Amino acid sequence: RNFFTKRTKELKPAVQSAPGWKLFGKVPPRENLPKDSKIIQQEYEARTGRMYKPPPPSARRKNIEFEPLSTTALILEDRPANLPAKSVEEALRHRQEYDEMVAEAKKREIKEAHKRKKIMRERFKQEDNIASAMVIWVNEILPNWEGMRATRRVRELWWQGLPPSVRGKVWSLAVGNELNITPELYEIFLSRAKERWKSFSETSTENDVEDAGASVADREASLELIKLDISRTFPSLYIFQKGGPYHDLLHSVLGAYTCYRPDVGYVQGMSFIAAVLILNLEEADAFIAFANLLNKPCQLAFFRVDHSMMLKYFAAFEVFFEENLPKLFLHFKSYSLTPDIYLIDWIFTLYSKSLPLDLACRVWDVFCRDGEEFLFRTGLGILRLYEDILLQMDFIHIAQFLTKLPEDITSEKLFSCIAAIQMQNSNKKWAQVFASLMKDNKEGDKNHSPAPKS
């Protein structure tokens, strides 16, 4: 007690002899204790003679909890002693301004409260829909998968998004296992990957690596790249970082695939696809789905960096781009902005890096249903969603915007834009347009081939 008392007495003269007040010839401020809002109100009523009757407690606070900020009430404070006192008219005006500020603050609070209630109602509704959909998937659809997967009812339910509890199972069934990979095969390639990592860290002999079907430099670089990429995979989640629960699991799946497909190896972007599968499937099932997914024509073309095939996909995309968004298409053309600038990153990671994770999973849901066509339809949906913004931008800003999309993108807005995209051009669907581009390419190769020697 003595310590604090002594300190308080020492500080008082320091405040009074502050050099600033002497320098500007001003009177030091009065040492007023902070006034309570009730005291301010009483002083105001005593000065103006106007009694303020507060509303009854029940009427004052019906739906909200609101207290004006302390600084708001400063407008009712008296002026310092060295300044003229407020006139009655000015005091009344300040009181009116204070009431208006409080009323405006209450309006904002009510608006925000209604917004929060609306969000909660939508969330509860979404949870109820997921719960009811889960019952249908578990009890009706999954037991009769082959017979029901193509029905209109299932496709409509599928479009609304899969319940998280059945998502992994449905993805596995939809992707299939054309490669006939077994959990035992996964263990074989995983052990091979571990041997390679061990040999790289120790001696990295050339003969051992060449037995795996790739050069030392290619294989070593590919496997070492996995370690670098894992830490960049969903960094905000931390679960794939070193020491996280899924770090070693992701490392294992990617390493096993690199040994399983030495012709493809590891390519940046694969880690995001494997991570999404790991979040929804067991380890061996995630590897099986991963290998089969990357064996699809579109993914194989991109991950093998097959330029001729990639150009065909871009050309097909531009056909539907021009059909659905002609203004934006011409705007992009005027800047010579080609699809590869933004599409490559979207396709490589199946939107898992570009979109929020929950929204990316919903894109995956329909991608597993509709195949590669939906990847390009989603791209057009994104362009449609931000068409007005993109039309105002130049080349650099468009490229930057599409490389890092806004984080507040919602599934409702995006999927309404995707639904508005028509994947039909001159009565030709995606597969027919792509097939005609492939046919034209083959005919062009024949026409440009050298004449046979006689």
Side-chain angles (χ1 to χ4, degrees):
R1 289 195 205 101
N2 292 336
F3 174 75
F4 286 108
T5 307
K6 187 177 180 182
R7 192 176 180 188
T8 308
K9 287 178 181 177
E10 287 174 356
L11 286 173
K12 265 190 175 183
V15 174
Q16 289 176 357
S17 61
W21 294 102
K22 290 183 179 179
L23 179 65
F24 294 102
K26 293 187 177 181
V27 181
R30 290 179 300 175
E31 292 186 6
N32 292 333
L33 294 172
K35 294 182 182 180
D36 186 74
S37 59
K38 289 183 180 178
I39 297 171
I40 295 171
Q41 184 67 39
Q42 288 168 4
E43 288 179 356
Y44 167 75
E45 289 170 359
R47 189 171 61 253
T48 60
R50 179 184 170 190
M51 295 296 291
Y52 175 72
K53 294 181 181 179
S58 58
R60 187 168 54 188
R61 294 188 180 184
K62 288 184 179 179
N63 299 320
I64 60 168
E65 288 293 328
F66 173 77
E67 285 292 341
L69 294 174
S70 59
T71 53
T72 308
L74 289 177
I75 197 171
L76 301 179
E77 277 276 18
D78 291 334
R79 288 204 183 101
N82 60 315
L83 295 175
K86 294 181 183 179
S87 64
V88 176
E89 293 79 9
E90 189 177 8
L92 287 171
R93 189 176 75 251
H94 284 181
R95 178 69 204 183
Q96 186 180 356
E97 290 173 359
Y98 171 76
D99 291 340
E100 287 173 359
M101 284 190 285
V102 172
E104 191 63 33
K106 283 184 177 180
K107 283 181 185 177
R108 285 198 303 269
E109 186 68 19
I110 291 169
K111 190 176 180 181
E112 288 174 7
H114 287 319
K115 189 178 179 181
R116 286 194 296 270
K117 283 182 181 178
K118 185 181 179 182
I119 291 170
M120 290 304 294
R121 280 199 303 269
E122 289 174 356
R123 189 175 294 172
F124 290 145
K125 184 180 177 182
Q126 188 179 11
E127 288 174 359
D128 291 340
N129 291 339
I130 289 171
S132 58
M134 185 187 67
V135 173
I136 296 170
W137 279 99
V138 171
N139 297 333
E140 298 179 34
I141 301 172
L142 290 176
N144 307 291
W145 174 252
E146 292 301 330
M148 293 189 69
R149 65 178 295 180
T151 60
R152 184 176 179 180
R153 181 195 174 201
V154 171
R155 288 181 65 83
E156 287 177 355
L157 197 62
W158 208 330
W159 174 267
Q160 295 168 12
L162 297 170
S165 57
V166 300
R167 179 167 271 153
K169 180 66 175 174
V170 175
W171 286 359
S172 292
L173 291 168
V175 171
N177 188 10
E178 292 179 355
L179 300 173
N180 295 317
I181 302 173
T182 60
E184 292 75 23
L185 190 65
Y186 166 64
E187 292 296 334
I188 291 169
F189 284 106
L190 176 58
S191 61
R192 187 177 296 181
K194 288 177 179 177
E195 287 174 10
R196 295 291 174 268
W197 280 319
K198 189 178 179 182
S199 66
F200 292 150
S201 61
E202 292 174 358
T203 57
S204 185
T205 60
E206 188 171 339
N207 294 331
D208 290 342
V209 182
E210 285 179 349
D211 290 341
S215 69
V216 179
D218 290 346
R219 174 55 60 83
E220 186 170 356
S222 185
L223 282 170
E224 286 301 309
L225 189 60
I226 294 172
K227 292 180 182 179
L228 296 172
D229 245 19
I230 289 176
S231 59
R232 303 171 188 158
T233 307
F234 298 120
S236 59
L237 296 181
Y238 298 105
I239 55 176
F240 296 106
Q241 307 301 306
K242 195 166 185 178
Y246 291 121
H247 175 271
D248 294 340
L249 195 60
L250 182 57
H251 198 230
S252 298
V253 170
L254 294 172
Y257 179 80
T258 305
C259 291
Y260 172 68
R261 291 298 300 265
D263 58 320
V264 179
Y266 176 76
V267 182
Q268 281 186 319
M270 285 183 177
S271 62
F272 281 88
I273 298 176
V276 173
L277 290 169
I278 286 169
L279 290 172
N280 291 277
L281 290 162
E282 295 298 323
E283 183 176 351
D285 294 329
F287 175 78
I288 294 167
F290 182 69
N292 280 279
L293 192 59
L294 298 195
N295 198 51
K296 303 293 181 185
C298 181
Q299 277 62 53
L300 210 55
F302 275 78
F303 283 111
R304 275 181 165 175
V305 196
D306 185 339
H307 291 289
S308 61
M309 282 292 288
M310 289 169 72
L311 288 172
K312 299 296 173 298
Y313 279 108
F314 294 146
F317 174 80
E318 287 201 299
V319 168
F320 294 97
F321 187 3
E322 186 177 13
E323 181 76 21
N324 285 274
L325 305 165
K327 283 185 181 179
L328 192 61
F329 177 79
L330 291 174
H331 184 64
F332 278 27
K333 280 286 184 186
S334 67
Y335 285 112
S336 301
L337 199 147
T338 51
D340 56 290
I341 292 171
Y342 51 92
L343 265 186
I344 285 179
D345 192 44
W346 294 354
I347 302 299
F348 262 116
T349 61
L350 301 181
Y351 296 95
S352 56
K353 183 182 176 184
S354 310
L355 298 174
L357 185 56
D358 57 338
L359 180 52
C361 285
R362 190 173 168 190
V363 169
W364 278 46
D365 292 342
V366 189
F367 162 61
C368 290
R369 187 194 78 172
D370 294 351
E372 64 185 37
E373 174 187 327
F374 190 72
L375 294 178
F376 297 95
R377 191 180 179 190
T378 301
L380 291 172
I382 292 171
L383 296 179
R384 183 185 178 91
L385 179 61
Y386 295 111
E387 181 177 15
D388 294 338
I389 298 171
L390 294 169
L391 284 170
Q392 308 302 320
M393 293 182 177
D394 58 13
F395 180 95
I396 297 295
H397 290 94
I398 291 170
Q400 290 174 342
F401 184 88
L402 295 179
T403 302
K404 185 169 175 57
L405 295 169
E407 294 180 0
D408 60 349
I409 184 170
T410 62
S411 59
E412 290 77 16
K413 288 181 180 178
L414 177 59
F415 270 77
S416 64
C417 289
I418 294 172
I421 298 295
Q422 298 297 319
M423 297 301 282
Q424 195 163 333
N425 176 264
S426 303
N427 296 323
K428 286 184 179 180
K429 295 184 178 179
W430 169 268
Q432 294 170 315
V433 170
F434 188 75
S436 65
L437 287 168
M438 292 294 292
K439 185 180 178 183
D440 292 343
N441 185 57
K442 287 178 181 178
E443 289 177 355
D445 291 342
K446 285 180 182 178
N447 293 333
H448 288 89
S449 60
K453 293 181 180 179
S454 57

